[in-house]
Amino acid sequence: MARKTPYGYTGLLNLLFGREMTVKKLKTKDLKIGMYVEKAGDLSNDPPFESRNFFISSPNDIQKLIDNKIGEVFVDTSRKADVYAPSESEENVETFEVELGELAVGRDVPVDIFWMREQNDNRILLRQGHTFSEEVEEVCRGSGINIVNIRVSQRKLFDKYKHVIDSERSEQQEKGYSGKYLDNKKVEEYHAFKNNYLPINVYVIVSDTKPPFDIYAIEKEKPATVLEKDAFVGKDRFDELVERNIEFFIHKDHKEAFRGYLLEHTQKSRDTAARAAFVREGAKLLIEDLAENPRSEKLINDSKKTIADLTQVVLDDPNSFRGLMKINSYDYYTFTHSVNVATLSIALAISVGVTKDDGLHDLGLGALLHDLGKTKINDKLINKPGKLTDAEYKTVTHHVTLGYEMLKENKSIPERAFHPLLEHHEKLSGRGYPNKLVADDIHLLGRITAIIDIYDALTTQRSYKKAFTPFDALSLLSKNEEDYDRNIFTQFVQLIHKQET
């Protein structure tokens, strides 16, 4: 069915302003594209599929209702996708063709938009002055409408509109954006999401409990509630969440409730995956706390204990710990990346024979702290949904020295733990930063972290690009063999091979 669209979207506010909600019963066969279904079927019975609050975006939506023997629906006549269910015909209108993608989502159109159903049969889709909203675009795409028509008499209006849109998109491209992020609104929505939601591992949820926080998933690029605060989670509900195999999030307003739940329930679970998830989620919260209070010796000592726990997780199941870690897949988050790097660095160090006496725990601590300096750089650069410009890249490289400055006065951090932090961007070839160290000038712990840092970055999904597969990431790194320690890299390839088979 079409996407459920919650109240509050800009386009719908424009539509609903000043109107009363009117729900009418309608025969399913009389539905039209663009209508908003409040509920399908008898109010006392729920059909065996999502059947409330959706737009009819294609003939398939209507047919699905009919196939499921839904004879009547309740339509909210005050809510429409601003699309005329293409039935209003205007004969003898001279038009020219435009690709749907030339229209800017979220902007008012200064012209009438038509759909040519057949030769010389123009059907009005969107009136001049209405908003080309996400809902309108969805209805068009769902109906297979990729080309629309505009009156020849309105060409000058459209050319002026297109010039403004093209100029904005060109400016965005110069800033490193592409795809949907040529739209400033999409960039702002992305930053708002990143600033307000935190990814969580589903295995922190314990059966037969009531998590005191809402849980969200991404649906149609927007957060949607999948589990309400204080809702009971039985075994079947838990299994259902796990089987969805997607990323889940909490709102930052619920972070402390989430922390309390970890300590009260997840920490006490006997399930191996839950214990591993507890260690990882706790580590992410610790790093965030350290960003606010880097001189706290207590937090560093707590981090040391977390590293010992992470090490034990790896030692307990060296061939499959990566699966238990549930590597982040939706998008890059600094704190998630930090825990990934710490976990994989520990695993690789064990593979190459590093022991506790050699600095195994110091490596883990340094890897956990390696990107702390990014918290001192503008979020909009760190989380930019696009390629950094040269000037932006130079600014971001300062995170290494910023992290060191934040932590150098903390007496609880062993000296060896600074090698991963200071050297994770150094390369044996001398082409790294910040100090352009060469070969033997780079410590063993720094060499390990350097490989893991770039590998995790490559294999993590970004909003503007797909994640590399492990094979593709390793293949890419192998083409720069002069940058990385060959023996350590070979061990890492073998380690990842074991994890993937």
Side-chain angles (χ1 to χ4, degrees):
M1 299 298 296
R3 170 176 57 155
K4 289 177 66 176
T5 309
Y7 294 94
Y9 284 6
T10 303
L12 289 181
L13 284 175
N14 291 336
L15 288 166
L16 293 175
F17 186 76
R19 298 184 185 180
E20 294 182 358
M21 189 179 83
T22 306
V23 177
K24 293 184 178 180
K25 184 183 289 188
L26 193 69
K27 292 187 181 299
T28 302
K29 65 182 179 62
D30 293 331
L31 282 169
K32 304 293 183 184
I33 293 171
M35 287 185 172
Y36 186 84
V37 176
E38 181 82 6
K39 177 177 171 58
D42 189 322
L43 285 173
S44 62
N45 295 306
D46 284 327
F49 56 89
E50 196 64 50
S51 59
R52 296 174 181 269
N53 305 328
F54 61 88
F55 283 108
I56 296 295
S57 64
S58 72
N60 289 338
D61 291 343
I62 301 172
Q63 191 58 49
K64 185 171 183 179
L65 292 167
I66 293 172
D67 290 345
N68 282 275
K69 304 187 186 312
I70 306 299
E72 294 179 328
V73 295
F74 294 86
V75 175
D76 182 354
T77 59
S78 71
R79 301 188 70 185
K80 299 178 182 176
D82 233 9
V83 173
Y84 293 82
S87 61
E88 186 177 340
S89 178
E90 297 203 9
E91 298 179 0
N92 303 318
V93 176
E94 190 178 0
T95 63
F96 62 95
E97 290 186 348
V98 170
E99 291 187 6
L100 192 68
E102 294 185 56
L103 305 180
V105 175
R107 301 282 282 270
D108 293 348
V109 292
V111 295
D112 291 323
I113 306 296
F114 294 87
W115 168 57
M116 185 174 288
R117 183 177 181 183
E118 298 174 355
Q119 188 70 23
N120 298 321
D121 183 12
N122 282 308
R123 304 294 178 109
I124 188 75
L125 279 173
L126 191 65
R127 291 290 189 189
Q128 182 181 28
H130 284 174
T131 303
F132 183 66
S133 63
E134 292 178 348
E135 290 77 28
V136 174
E137 183 185 41
E138 182 179 336
V139 168
C140 291
R141 298 291 188 197
S143 301
I145 300 173
N146 297 308
I147 300 292
V148 294
N149 295 69
I150 296 168
R151 298 178 194 270
V152 170
S153 61
Q154 294 180 329
R155 183 183 285 274
K156 287 185 178 180
L157 286 173
F158 179 76
D159 287 346
K160 183 178 180 180
Y161 161 86
K162 189 172 185 301
H163 176 73
V164 172
I165 300 304
D166 288 347
S167 296
E168 290 178 357
R169 290 175 174 176
S170 178
E171 184 180 344
Q172 288 294 88
Q173 284 178 324
E174 290 177 4
K175 293 178 181 178
Y177 296 101
S178 61
K180 64 186 178 183
Y181 296 107
L182 294 177
D183 182 348
N184 273 303
K185 180 184 174 185
K186 289 291 185 184
V187 176
E188 292 305 315
E189 286 178 351
Y190 175 76
H191 285 306
F193 174 79
K194 295 281 283 190
N195 290 334
N196 287 292
Y197 293 87
L198 299 171
I200 65 168
N201 189 313
V202 67
Y203 287 101
V204 301
I205 306 302
V206 178
S207 294
D208 300 327
T209 63
K210 295 180 179 180
F213 44 83
D214 294 320
I215 298 179
Y216 302 84
I218 301 300
E219 295 182 3
K220 296 290 185 178
E221 300 181 1
K222 294 183 181 293
T225 305
V226 295
L227 187 72
E228 293 186 352
K229 174 184 175 182
D230 295 324
F232 179 76
V233 180
K235 185 180 183 306
D236 290 344
R237 186 72 175 105
F238 172 77
D239 290 344
E240 179 187 327
L241 292 173
V242 172
E243 288 170 6
R244 293 186 66 174
N245 194 31
I246 59 174
E247 195 93 47
F248 294 103
F249 300 83
I250 62 168
H251 196 280
K252 284 190 176 180
D253 289 346
H254 286 166
K255 187 175 76 171
E256 292 309 312
F258 178 68
R259 191 197 303 268
Y261 180 87
L262 289 176
L263 294 171
E264 183 178 353
H265 296 289
T266 313
Q267 183 181 27
K268 299 173 183 177
S269 174
R270 296 181 179 180
D271 182 75
T272 302
R275 292 200 302 273
F278 169 77
V279 173
R280 274 180 59 83
E281 296 302 319
K284 284 159 55 178
L285 293 174
L286 264 177
I287 296 298
E288 193 166 1
D289 292 341
L290 271 167
E292 297 175 1
N293 190 8
R295 295 189 177 185
S296 170
E297 294 190 10
K298 178 184 183 304
L299 288 175
I300 289 297
N301 289 329
D302 289 344
S303 298
K304 290 178 181 178
K305 181 180 184 306
T306 293
I307 290 302
D309 292 339
L310 268 179
T311 303
Q312 195 59 49
V313 168
V314 174
L315 291 171
D316 285 346
D317 205 343
N319 292 325
S320 61
F321 72 88
R322 186 169 176 268
L324 293 177
M325 291 295 95
K326 193 70 175 178
I327 299 298
N328 181 57
S329 60
Y330 173 71
D331 200 358
Y332 174 89
Y333 282 79
T334 296
F335 302 128
T336 303
H337 169 70
S338 297
V339 179
N340 291 347
V341 172
T343 305
L344 286 172
S345 293
I346 290 168
L348 178 54
I350 292 171
S351 295
V352 299
V354 176
T355 66
K356 184 176 179 180
D357 290 340
D358 298 325
L360 180 62
H361 286 179
D362 294 341
L363 164 67
L365 180 62
L368 191 64
L369 303 173
H370 81 284
D371 268 353
L372 199 64
K374 286 184 177 179
T375 63
K376 296 300 181 183
I377 295 175
N378 191 320
D379 281 346
K380 291 190 175 182
L381 282 188
I382 300 300
N383 295 324
K384 180 179 177 180
K387 184 179 179 180
L388 296 173
T389 64
D390 290 345
E392 290 170 340
Y393 176 77
K394 185 175 181 180
T395 298
V396 171
T397 63
H398 294 158
H399 77 274
V400 177
T401 50
L402 286 172
Y404 176 72
E405 291 298 322
M406 290 170 69
L407 295 166
K408 67 180 182 180
E409 301 299 330
N410 195 313
K411 303 303 181 184
S412 292
I413 302 177
E415 185 176 346
R416 281 188 301 198
F418 283 107
H419 287 294
L421 186 153
L422 286 169
E423 299 170 13
H424 66 278
H425 284 296
E426 299 288 358
K427 298 178 179 179
L428 301 188
S429 62
R431 296 183 297 191
Y433 66 84
N435 297 312
K436 297 189 181 298
L437 300 180
V438 178
D440 291 343
D441 292 335
I442 303 175
H443 194 278
L444 172 64
L445 305 189
R447 296 180 185 212
I448 291 172
T449 314
I451 292 173
I452 300 302
D453 178 67
I454 184 64
Y455 173 82
D456 185 69
L458 289 171
T459 54
T460 296
Q461 177 88 4
R462 296 276 184 157
S463 60
Y464 57 93
K465 73 174 184 67
K466 293 181 178 179
F468 279 62
T469 65
F471 175 82
D472 288 340
L474 293 172
S475 295
L476 179 63
L477 293 179
S478 70
K479 293 178 174 59
N480 297 284
E481 59 182 353
E482 69 275 15
D483 289 337
Y484 305 105
D485 187 298
R486 179 175 302 206
N487 292 330
I488 296 175
F489 183 74
T490 300
Q491 286 291 328
F492 185 55
V493 171
Q494 294 173 358
L495 174 68
I496 294 301
H497 176 70
K498 290 178 182 177
Q499 298 297 307
E500 297 297 319
T501 57

